[in-house]
Structure formats: structure tokens, C-alpha cells
Amino acid sequence: SEEAWNIQRVFHEGGPKIVADRNKHASAGAFGHDAVKFLATDTIARGSELFFDCLEDAEAIRVDQFVENQASLPWLQTVGACVDGIQVKKSTIPDIGRGAFAKRKASQGDTITTSPAVIFNRWQMQIIEQYYSDVEKRVVFEETVRDEQLLLNYCLELPGTKSLLLPTGPGVSFINHNKTANVKVQWSSHYLFDAHQALKPSIEDAMDEGGAELMLDYVATRDIEPGEELFFDYGEDWETAWQAYQNTWESPEDDKVADKVFASDVEKELADTYFRTFKEQEEYPYPDGVYTSCFYKHHFNLNARNVRDARKPKKDPWWFETNNDCLRPCVIIERKFFGETSFYYVEMRPMVNLLLRESCSLPSNFTFVDWVPQRAIRLVDNEYTTDQHLDARFRYPMSLQKFNVPPHWQYEEKDPMGDFILPDLKPGQLSNVIWSDDGEIVTPNAYLIGLPTSVREVMLKYCDYMGITEQFKDLTVRGNSLTQDEFSTVNLQGQNWLIQRPAKKWMSNMHWISPSDQESQEDYLTALSASGFDETLDAIGKFFDMDGLAAYHVTFIGVSHSVRGFLHYDVTKTGVKVFNVIIPLILANATGPELDIRSSDAQDVGRLRYQYDIASMMGDDADHATSEVDYRLTREMRMAATVYVADINDDNIDAIVRDYTQHYPPKDRPDILLEMAGTHWNATDDSVKLPSPDSAWLSKVLGQN
């Protein structure tokens, strides 16, 4: 908050950058070289607390928490940790950028510095193709993974998990790799870090909270002299990956890429000269891919006059220190002097970042600004032309050696085939779900049933035609999810469908797409008929000696990530007259088990591996959940059709309605459900079937003549 700040962030600070030649060294693009500095905006006394201007979505700083000047060292030692043990400068190892050096002598076992750390999932390092949709007024993510973030190279991989730690303390990111390391990383022993409490939550909860409580110590493994470079062993996996990358690395073939002139080189060469106006650049242009940018944050509340006419500079706003933010493209129109100090009259251009924070926006027309100082102007490179954006740059996290990862954080490797017998069922054959180790039934009302191959084939074609498959890819694979416990309507091939994402307790990005009215419900049932699902209804009805069946609750589900499944039953107290039939349509490659099922005594939970052409059936009190899965790194998803079938009667209608989640038929209209009783299969009338498709439907949806 501006009332209290005393330091200011400055990005793209000018001056020479430490880079590796992209034509000679494989390390080019594997480390960052843009500096971020914090400059004092006022005189700061020793011991004063530091504050900077917070972003719009950050919690406002309480001014009454501001610590007055001259806080003593003993007091600071009681409320904080020393992070002043590292100096950053050019590494002693050639062509890898900066390194970290000890400021003071350290004995073996001494803590050199302490660092906070943020925890997150590895998949979050992916760079996903994205664009701004003018129709939806939002950023839309696509399916393609372009690369992984450079930030990955500064992360620590937690052994036995799929998670990363990012240390954020001063200088620690510059500690380079060496097998003969003089530093190791461990959980902090500082009194500010309560390891028992901080590591007690699940790793998912820790990530939800941003890992704000986590702290690491960098500890000397031998005596270290002042000025000695610090090294940390990144691990065998990292070293193997780096050696493999070096062995296959080739210099860029594209001349434009290979001969790229960087803005930092131009600034260094022209350090003692002025920035060129657009007129001067017509005769003496900057190199291709280099352009001028200015720090300028517009303050709308000042009601500054903005005009397009560059011939009237006196009517335009002046640049002040409060404008020193938001680096954006700018065009230099005029250079002027006040004494020996140079200033500029510039035209500010809008920033093009799709995730731009609101405070960096400009008025709808271009804004001309006068008296912009030289220090507020930079030469910058065109987007995606610097080393880190070269194709196939080295990306790999550091490995933590002999690190104490809480057991409940570690990913438990399950049997890839699951815990249950996977029977080879012919269409119409049923089997209880049975434990593979002792042959016992897991729970009385959980079954598997063989399906005709046509069921998956036709239902998948139906999803593709309707656009349901594409919807799920957008919601799960590309990450354009609804918020939890949210729903929206969508028109698919002229029909109304409902998209739902369940509440947070489901701990997944699962979405449901289901019919929103009678027309779309009938169309779904028609697809089931075309797939041969009548044969499945006949098998279920006869196996359980039912009077009639109706497929009353139909939907599709898609998921690419589940943390820990929400164990629940779909129905209860129906007299074993209702089953949720789950039909796998798309399975992820090389996946493990996908469905957790709890034993009837609630003592054990096993995992079922889905198979094509075999459906699972969950009946009364069959507790189940989506297993812990994560397909996001491989950009895959799982999709299934779910069909609730029931022998509906007066005795179970209340139980059916109680556990009902679908929009249609309406939950508050049990009379509609009762009217559906026995409409899709009847024990005494073979003519009762699902609504059959006509030739036009078959031609339109399945391409059949």
C-alpha cells in the first residue's frame, strides 16, 4: 500500500547481462539473466521493516504493523531469520551465468542461509498454448504443450512425490551444481519453522495453502571460507539429463536465431548515449527484434488530459515517480534537456499481455506522456526471442538427496492392475467385484458386466459428433475448468445440455455433461439404443429378476486429475433395484487403477482398473470414488458414459429422488420418474426397448446410410 512503502521493484534493470553464447554453449537458455532489483524510495534506517506496493489482489498492508526505525539486532534475531549469508556474482564455472558465494566463514554444520519455499505440482510448469476469446471474454487454454517454464530449473523435486519446492530466499537460486558439494538442503531448524505443524497437513492441502509455512536451511557440509562459491549436488537424475542434453545439443540452424542481437548488448554498447526518437530510427534503426519500452503506470484519478496530437505536448500528463511501473512498448517522439539531464516526450502503447493486471491498463486512446526520464526507458527484446525461448532448451528440476519427505506426502505406488480380479466377461455376463488376493466379494452390490463392443464405439462417435469429447478436453486437458460447484448450459447440435463441476469435497477436476431437457434426454437414449445397450438392459433385468427397467439418469463424465476420491454411494435403500452403470469411453495411456471401491465392512479400500467393453455397476451402499490420478503432464483425460438404470416403483421412488443430481428429469417431479417405470425393458414384453434411431439420425450422427 502506497502509504507505507519504502522500496520499489525495478524490472529489466539496465546494465550488462551474464549470458552464454547460444551458438556455442548448450547452457544458453537454461538460466535466467534478467535482473529484478528493489530500490529505496526514501531514506531507510537500519532495522526498519521493508514494504513495497502490493498488487490489486494482495492483502493490504497494515500500516500499524510498521516497525519503527532502529530495531536492534537482538530483537531482529527473536522475530526473524538471517538471510544475508550469500553474495551473487558471476560463477567460477564458465557459461552458466551467476553463482552464489559465501559472505562469511562457515564451519561444517553451520546454516549459511534460510529460505521460504513454495510447493506446487510439476504439471504447473507446462507452457500451454492459449489465446484470448473475444466471444467468451477470457483466456482460453489449448491442448498443446509448448515447453516447460524456465522456472523448473530453479525448483527442487521432492522425492517420492509429483511436487516441486521453489526456494525464494535471497541468492539461493544461484547455487550451482557440483558432485563435490559444500552445501546441503534440509527442512529448517529455525524456531520460526514448526516442522511438526507445517508438515502435518497432506501435500494437497499444503499446495492449496501455497506452502506459506515451509522453510529450508542451506547447511555447510564442510568448512567454507568467505568468498568461496557455494555448490549443491543436484542429484544423479539431473546430471544424467544434463549430460544427455549436452550430447544431443546442436547450434541453432536458423540464421536469424543464431545472429540475434540482444537488447542488453545494444544498451551496453550505447550506455553513454541517448535513446533515439522514431525519426532518428528511420536513419539509424535499432537491430531487428529490439524496441523501446517505458515504465508507465497511468493514474486515472488524476484526470490527466490525453490527446492524439503530438504537436501539443504541454497538454499531456507529466511523468512522476508514481508512474514508475508497468513496462510497456513506447515510441519516443522528442528528446529534451533540463540542464544536462535528458528527458523524453513519448507515446505510450497498450500492453498486450492477456493476463494484464488492471492497474497497468491505459485509456482507450493512446496516451502521450511528457518529461519521461532516461532511467524510465529500456531497450527490450521482442517477445519469445531471448535464449530461454529457444526450441528445446534444457529443463529439469534439481533433486533433493536424502531429504526427509513426510511419508504421507509420498506417492504410494499401487499395483498397476489394481486390487481386484479383472474377469474376461462376454457381453451380458455379470460378476461381483472380487478381491484378487483372497477371492472374497468386496461389497455385495458392486458388479462388473460385459458389454458389446458396439456400445463404446457408438457412444464415442456420438460424443464426437455432439462436441462432448471436445468439451471435456477443454474442461480438463486444457484446464478451462468451471469453478467447483458451478454449472453452465451449452447448446450442442441444437440441443440443450448442462455442464456441472461437483463441489470441492470431490477433490478433482471431474465434470459432468448431461441432458438439460426431454429432447436431449431422448437423444442420449437413442444413442444408447443404436449402440446395442438394450442387450445390457436385458442382462441386468434378468440377473436381478426385475419387473422392468428405465434408464432415467444419463450423463457423461470427464476427468484428468483427482487428488483423493470422495467416497460415496450413488444410491441406498432401493431394494437393490438401481445401479449406476459406468461405461469407459476413453482411458489414459499407461494408466493405473481409476476407481476406488470400499469393502462392505468399511475396513479396506481397493482400486479397480477400468477396461474397455466392461462396465462397472454401483448399487445400494456400494461406496466408491475416483482414484488418485493425474494425467495433466501427458495432457490426457478419462471419459465415460454413466447410465442409471432402475426398476422404479412406489417403494423406492423416494430413495431414488433423494440421491438425484441430474437436471432432467426434474428432481421435484417424482411423478415423471414413476411414469418412466419399465419404459426401456420389461420382463414380460420383449418389444419394450430404448427409443430406436431412424435412418436420418443414423446418417447424421453415425454416418450410416
Side-chain angles (χ1 to χ4, degrees):
S1 53
E2 296 184 13
E3 294 86 354
W5 75 11
N6 52 14
I7 59 173
Q8 183 177 36
R9 293 162 298 175
V10 177
F11 298 92
H12 298 274
E13 180 67 14
K17 296 180 180 179
I18 301 174
V19 299
D21 189 329
R22 62 168 62 184
N23 299 304
K24 298 179 181 179
H25 303 294
S27 59
F31 58 90
H33 48 71
D34 280 326
V36 178
K37 292 186 177 181
F38 290 85
L39 303 180
T41 60
D42 200 351
T43 301
I44 304 175
R46 181 187 63 185
S48 295
E49 189 169 359
L50 303 178
F51 296 95
F52 62 88
D53 185 20
C54 48
L55 302 178
E56 287 78 14
D57 57 353
E59 183 178 353
I61 295 172
R62 288 180 53 193
V63 179
D64 60 355
Q65 291 177 339
F66 189 83
V67 180
E68 295 299 330
N69 294 341
Q70 303 299 322
S72 67
L73 180 59
W75 180 84
L76 288 172
Q77 290 173 332
T78 64
V79 297
C82 179
V83 292
D84 190 37
I86 290 177
Q87 180 182 10
V88 177
K89 55 185 179 180
K90 187 174 182 179
S91 176
T92 58
I93 303 176
D95 305 308
I96 64 167
R98 297 176 177 86
F101 296 79
K103 277 190 175 182
R104 289 174 284 277
K105 180 179 176 63
S107 299
Q108 183 177 355
D110 286 351
T111 297
I112 296 172
T113 191
T114 297
S115 173
V118 179
I119 186 172
F120 48 85
N121 197 293
R122 169 71 182 266
W123 74 269
Q124 292 174 279
M125 289 291 96
Q126 293 177 333
I127 300 175
I128 311 300
E129 289 281 2
Q130 57 187 275
Y131 67 94
Y132 185 80
S133 170
D134 290 324
V135 176
E136 300 180 49
K137 304 300 181 186
R138 65 181 178 95
V139 176
V140 176
F141 295 95
E142 298 194 300
E143 206 165 332
T144 306
V145 180
R146 289 186 53 181
D147 204 340
E148 290 188 289
Q149 300 280 358
L150 173 62
L151 191 64
L152 180 65
N153 290 1
Y154 295 90
C155 292
L156 303 167
E157 190 170 40
L158 279 171
T161 77
K162 299 178 181 179
S163 301
L164 303 170
L165 282 177
L166 176 64
T168 59
V172 297
S173 296
F174 298 99
I175 300 177
N176 290 311
H177 167 68
N178 197 313
K179 292 293 290 184
T180 56
N182 54 12
V183 166
K184 66 178 180 179
V185 180
Q186 62 188 37
W187 293 120
S188 180
S189 60
H190 196 279
Y191 71 88
L192 287 176
F193 179 65
D194 186 341
H196 176 73
Q197 288 298 321
L199 304 179
K200 185 177 180 180
S202 69
I203 194 167
E204 295 83 17
D205 289 339
M207 287 189 285
D208 282 346
E209 297 298 323
E213 301 288 331
L214 302 181
M215 290 174 61
L216 301 172
D217 281 344
Y218 288 75
V219 178
T221 58
R222 60 168 175 79
D223 293 349
I224 298 174
E225 296 299 319
E228 186 176 348
E229 185 164 6
L230 304 175
F231 294 104
F232 163 62
D233 183 1
Y234 290 5
E236 290 185 8
D237 290 346
W238 183 93
E239 190 157 288
T240 299
W242 173 238
Q243 291 298 331
Y245 178 79
Q246 285 184 299
N247 293 338
T248 58
W249 176 82
E250 295 180 354
S251 178
E253 296 180 358
D254 188 330
D255 291 340
K256 289 185 178 180
V257 174
D259 298 335
K260 162 71 177 172
V261 178
F262 293 99
S264 57
D265 298 327
V266 179
E267 281 196 337
K268 182 166 56 176
E269 180 182 342
L270 305 176
D272 298 326
T273 62
Y274 307 112
F275 289 106
R276 300 168 189 165
T277 66
F278 76 99
K279 284 292 186 182
E280 291 170 339
Q281 290 183 54
E282 291 177 0
E283 187 173 357
Y284 302 104
Y286 290 121
D288 288 342
V290 174
Y291 63 94
T292 52
S293 287
C294 301
F295 285 103
Y296 182 69
K297 176 180 178 180
H298 187 78
H299 294 284
F300 288 85
N301 59 338
L302 297 181
N303 297 317
R305 296 183 62 182
N306 304 299
V307 298
R308 289 179 174 272
D309 192 347
R311 296 168 296 179
K312 301 177 181 179
K314 292 183 180 180
K315 293 186 178 180
D316 294 316
W318 289 11
W319 193 96
F320 294 98
E321 282 298 328
T322 54
N323 301 119
N324 194 20
D325 196 359
C326 305
L327 187 66
R328 65 179 69 251
C330 65
V331 177
I332 298 177
I333 298 171
E334 179 186 350
R335 182 171 53 250
K336 58 182 68 179
F337 294 89
F338 186 79
E340 296 183 357
T341 305
S342 58
F343 293 88
Y344 298 86
Y345 176 58
V346 304
E347 179 186 14
M348 300 294 178
R349 295 292 179 87
M351 298 171 70
V352 295
N353 188 341
L354 298 179
L355 301 179
L356 173 68
R357 53 192 173 103
E358 185 177 353
S359 66
C360 285
S361 61
L362 286 174
S364 57
N365 55 333
F366 290 145
T367 301
F368 290 84
V369 182
D370 208 355
W371 296 102
V372 178
Q374 176 131 343
R375 58 186 169 82
I377 302 176
R378 299 283 184 271
L379 291 180
V380 299
D381 299 291
N382 271 347
E383 293 85 350
Y384 308 114
T385 62
T386 57
D387 288 345
Q388 69 175 4
H389 296 108
L390 291 170
D391 292 337
R393 292 298 88 188
F394 180 71
R395 299 288 183 267
Y396 208 86
M398 300 172 276
S399 300
L400 286 166
Q401 308 298 303
K402 299 179 181 179
F403 193 76
N404 182 24
V405 179
H408 61 286
W409 281 18
Q410 298 180 43
Y411 182 76
E412 183 181 354
E413 288 293 338
K414 304 284 187 178
D415 185 333
M417 300 308 294
D419 301 305
F420 309 123
I421 293 174
L422 299 178
D424 183 15
L425 298 175
K426 293 181 173 58
Q429 285 187 318
L430 281 88
S431 167
N432 287 100
V433 178
I434 297 172
W435 291 105
S436 57
D437 56 356
D438 60 13
E440 295 292 324
I441 293 174
V442 178
T443 189
N445 299 317
Y447 289 85
L448 301 175
I449 183 171
L451 302 173
T453 57
S454 59
V455 172
R456 174 176 177 264
E457 291 171 355
V458 170
M459 295 308 289
L460 193 53
K461 285 183 179 179
Y462 179 70
C463 287
D464 290 345
Y465 168 77
M466 294 297 293
I468 291 169
T469 308
E470 188 66 19
Q471 286 285 336
F472 278 130
K473 286 182 179 179
D474 195 50
L475 293 163
T476 62
V477 176
R478 299 171 194 144
N480 302 300
S481 303
L482 300 181
T483 57
Q484 291 165 329
D485 207 16
E486 181 188 7
F487 69 89
S488 67
T489 57
V490 62
N491 187 281
L492 301 175
Q493 297 292 348
Q495 298 175 11
N496 296 318
W497 290 71
L498 187 74
I499 302 176
Q500 296 169 274
R501 183 179 180 186
K504 184 177 181 180
K505 64 184 179 181
W506 288 71
M507 297 294 287
S508 76
N509 68 355
M510 179 179 287
H511 288 70
W512 307 325
I513 300 180
S514 56
S516 184
D517 55 28
Q518 185 176 1
E519 180 187 10
S520 50
Q521 173 97 342
E522 286 293 310
D523 202 59
Y524 191 125
L525 296 175
T526 301
L528 281 175
S529 173
S531 76
F533 195 72
D534 282 304
E535 181 180 343
T536 304
L537 289 177
D538 184 60
I540 294 172
K542 291 177 178 178
F543 187 90
F544 292 100
D545 194 24
M546 295 183 178
D547 296 326
L549 285 175
Y552 70 95
H553 183 318
V554 292
T555 189
F556 295 101
I557 61 175
V559 64
S560 67
H561 174 232
S562 173
V563 175
R564 56 175 181 270
F566 168 55
L567 279 165
H568 67 287
Y569 55 74
D570 291 322
V571 291
T572 184
K573 299 179 180 179
T574 70
V576 196
K577 297 293 186 180
V578 181
F579 286 92
N580 176 16
V581 183
I582 306 172
I583 306 167
L585 300 180
I586 297 175
L587 299 177
N589 293 318
T591 182
E594 300 101 337
L595 184 68
D596 292 350
I597 304 176
R598 182 157 59 186
S599 61
S600 55
D601 60 7
Q603 296 299 308
D604 299 294
V605 176
R607 305 182 80 191
L608 174 71
R609 184 187 177 105
Y610 283 128
Q611 303 172 83
Y612 288 134
D613 304 325
I614 293 182
S616 57
M617 294 173 49
M618 299 293 111
D620 282 354
D621 305 308
D623 288 339
H624 61 285
T626 301
S627 298
E628 178 185 351
V629 296
D630 195 345
Y631 313 135
R632 293 173 298 182
L633 199 60
T634 55
R635 311 298 290 169
E636 296 179 273
M637 70 171 183
R638 183 174 77 244
M639 186 173 77
T642 64
V643 182
Y644 283 70
V645 299
D647 186 355
I648 304 171
N649 55 50
D650 290 329
D651 295 331
N652 62 25
I653 185 63
D654 290 339
I656 292 173
V657 171
R658 181 178 58 246
D659 298 311
Y660 200 70
T661 60
Q662 191 165 329
H663 185 71
Y664 185 86
K667 184 173 182 175
D668 59 354
R669 292 291 306 277
D671 56 304
I672 295 180
L673 287 173
L674 284 170
E675 290 175 3
M676 293 177 64
T679 54
H680 300 141
W681 177 85
N682 188 281
T684 60
D685 187 350
D686 292 341
S687 67
V688 176
K689 295 182 182 296
L690 292 162
S692 300
D694 57 23
S695 58
W697 191 97
L698 292 171
S699 175
K700 177 179 64 174
V701 178
L702 304 183
Q704 297 179 5
N705 296 323

